[in-house]
PDB file of all heavy atoms in Angstrom:
ATOM      1  N   LEU B   9      27.233 -11.419  26.953  1.00  0.00           N
ATOM      2  CA  LEU B   9      27.645 -11.419  28.357  1.00  0.00           C
ATOM      3  C   LEU B   9      26.913 -10.326  29.120  1.00  0.00           C
ATOM      4  O   LEU B   9      26.874  -9.179  28.688  1.00  0.00           O
ATOM      5  CB  LEU B   9      29.152 -11.167  28.466  1.00  0.00           C
ATOM      6  CG  LEU B   9      30.094 -12.258  27.996  1.00  0.00           C
ATOM      7  CD1 LEU B   9      31.521 -11.874  28.357  1.00  0.00           C
ATOM      8  CD2 LEU B   9      29.740 -13.602  28.579  1.00  0.00           C
ATOM      9  N   GLY B  16      22.343 -17.065  46.504  1.00  0.00           N
ATOM     10  CA  GLY B  16      23.181 -18.151  47.007  1.00  0.00           C
ATOM     11  C   GLY B  16      24.465 -17.577  47.529  1.00  0.00           C
ATOM     12  O   GLY B  16      24.782 -16.411  47.268  1.00  0.00           O
ATOM     13  N   PRO B  17      25.215 -18.373  48.274  1.00  0.00           N
ATOM     14  CA  PRO B  17      26.440 -17.840  48.867  1.00  0.00           C
ATOM     15  C   PRO B  17      27.486 -17.506  47.817  1.00  0.00           C
ATOM     16  O   PRO B  17      27.713 -18.278  46.888  1.00  0.00           O
ATOM     17  CB  PRO B  17      26.908 -18.968  49.788  1.00  0.00           C
ATOM     18  CG  PRO B  17      26.262 -20.199  49.240  1.00  0.00           C
ATOM     19  CD  PRO B  17      24.980 -19.767  48.631  1.00  0.00           C
ATOM     20  N   TYR B  35      29.145 -19.260  72.906  1.00  0.00           N
ATOM     21  CA  TYR B  35      28.032 -20.205  73.032  1.00  0.00           C
ATOM     22  C   TYR B  35      27.562 -20.368  74.476  1.00  0.00           C
ATOM     23  O   TYR B  35      26.518 -20.947  74.734  1.00  0.00           O
ATOM     24  CB  TYR B  35      28.416 -21.562  72.419  1.00  0.00           C
ATOM     25  CG  TYR B  35      28.607 -21.470  70.905  1.00  0.00           C
ATOM     26  CD1 TYR B  35      29.812 -21.823  70.316  1.00  0.00           C
ATOM     27  CD2 TYR B  35      27.555 -21.039  70.104  1.00  0.00           C
ATOM     28  CE1 TYR B  35      29.991 -21.729  68.955  1.00  0.00           C
ATOM     29  CE2 TYR B  35      27.731 -20.939  68.728  1.00  0.00           C
ATOM     30  CZ  TYR B  35      28.945 -21.283  68.154  1.00  0.00           C
ATOM     31  OH  TYR B  35      29.112 -21.194  66.804  1.00  0.00           O
ATOM     32  N   CYS B  51      20.209 -13.527  64.869  1.00  0.00           N
ATOM     33  CA  CYS B  51      21.412 -13.339  64.043  1.00  0.00           C
ATOM     34  C   CYS B  51      21.179 -13.882  62.634  1.00  0.00           C
ATOM     35  O   CYS B  51      21.504 -13.251  61.628  1.00  0.00           O
ATOM     36  CB  CYS B  51      22.620 -14.009  64.706  1.00  0.00           C
ATOM     37  SG  CYS B  51      22.333 -15.742  65.150  1.00  0.00           S
ATOM     38  N   VAL B  59      24.667 -15.531  55.982  1.00  0.00           N
ATOM     39  CA  VAL B  59      25.829 -16.394  56.240  1.00  0.00           C
ATOM     40  C   VAL B  59      25.774 -17.040  57.633  1.00  0.00           C
ATOM     41  O   VAL B  59      26.703 -17.744  58.020  1.00  0.00           O
ATOM     42  CB  VAL B  59      27.170 -15.624  56.089  1.00  0.00           C
ATOM     43  CG1 VAL B  59      27.358 -15.151  54.675  1.00  0.00           C
ATOM     44  CG2 VAL B  59      27.287 -14.479  57.079  1.00  0.00           C
ATOM     45  N   MET B  90      32.448  -8.385  68.153  1.00  0.00           N
ATOM     46  CA  MET B  90      33.105  -8.014  66.896  1.00  0.00           C
ATOM     47  C   MET B  90      34.575  -7.749  67.217  1.00  0.00           C
ATOM     48  O   MET B  90      34.908  -6.804  67.926  1.00  0.00           O
ATOM     49  CB  MET B  90      32.448  -6.769  66.292  1.00  0.00           C
ATOM     50  CG  MET B  90      30.961  -6.938  65.930  1.00  0.00           C
ATOM     51  SD  MET B  90      30.598  -8.343  64.838  1.00  0.00           S
ATOM     52  CE  MET B  90      31.425  -7.847  63.344  1.00  0.00           C
ATOM     53  N   PHE B  96      43.561 -12.119  64.797  1.00  0.00           N
ATOM     54  CA  PHE B  96      43.388 -13.531  64.476  1.00  0.00           C
ATOM     55  C   PHE B  96      44.589 -14.120  63.745  1.00  0.00           C
ATOM     56  O   PHE B  96      44.492 -15.144  63.127  1.00  0.00           O
ATOM     57  CB  PHE B  96      42.125 -13.742  63.631  1.00  0.00           C
ATOM     58  CG  PHE B  96      40.863 -13.518  64.401  1.00  0.00           C
ATOM     59  CD1 PHE B  96      40.307 -12.262  64.485  1.00  0.00           C
ATOM     60  CD2 PHE B  96      40.257 -14.564  65.070  1.00  0.00           C
ATOM     61  CE1 PHE B  96      39.145 -12.051  65.208  1.00  0.00           C
ATOM     62  CE2 PHE B  96      39.092 -14.357  65.806  1.00  0.00           C
ATOM     63  CZ  PHE B  96      38.535 -13.090  65.871  1.00  0.00           C
ATOM     64  N   SER B  97      45.714 -13.459  63.810  1.00  0.00           N
ATOM     65  CA  SER B  97      46.855 -13.951  63.051  1.00  0.00           C
ATOM     66  C   SER B  97      47.283 -15.334  63.507  1.00  0.00           C
ATOM     67  O   SER B  97      47.650 -16.175  62.694  1.00  0.00           O
ATOM     68  CB  SER B  97      48.011 -12.964  63.162  1.00  0.00           C
ATOM     69  OG  SER B  97      48.226 -12.669  64.522  1.00  0.00           O
ATOM     70  N   ALA B 112      32.747 -11.303  74.614  1.00  0.00           N
ATOM     71  CA  ALA B 112      31.567 -11.060  73.790  1.00  0.00           C
ATOM     72  C   ALA B 112      30.770  -9.909  74.358  1.00  0.00           C
ATOM     73  O   ALA B 112      30.559  -9.827  75.563  1.00  0.00           O
ATOM     74  CB  ALA B 112      30.718 -12.325  73.717  1.00  0.00           C
TER      75      ALA B 112
END
Side-chain angles (χ1 to χ4, degrees):
Chain B
L9 290 187
Y35 294 122
C51 52
V59 296
M90 298 306 294
F96 290 88
S97 51

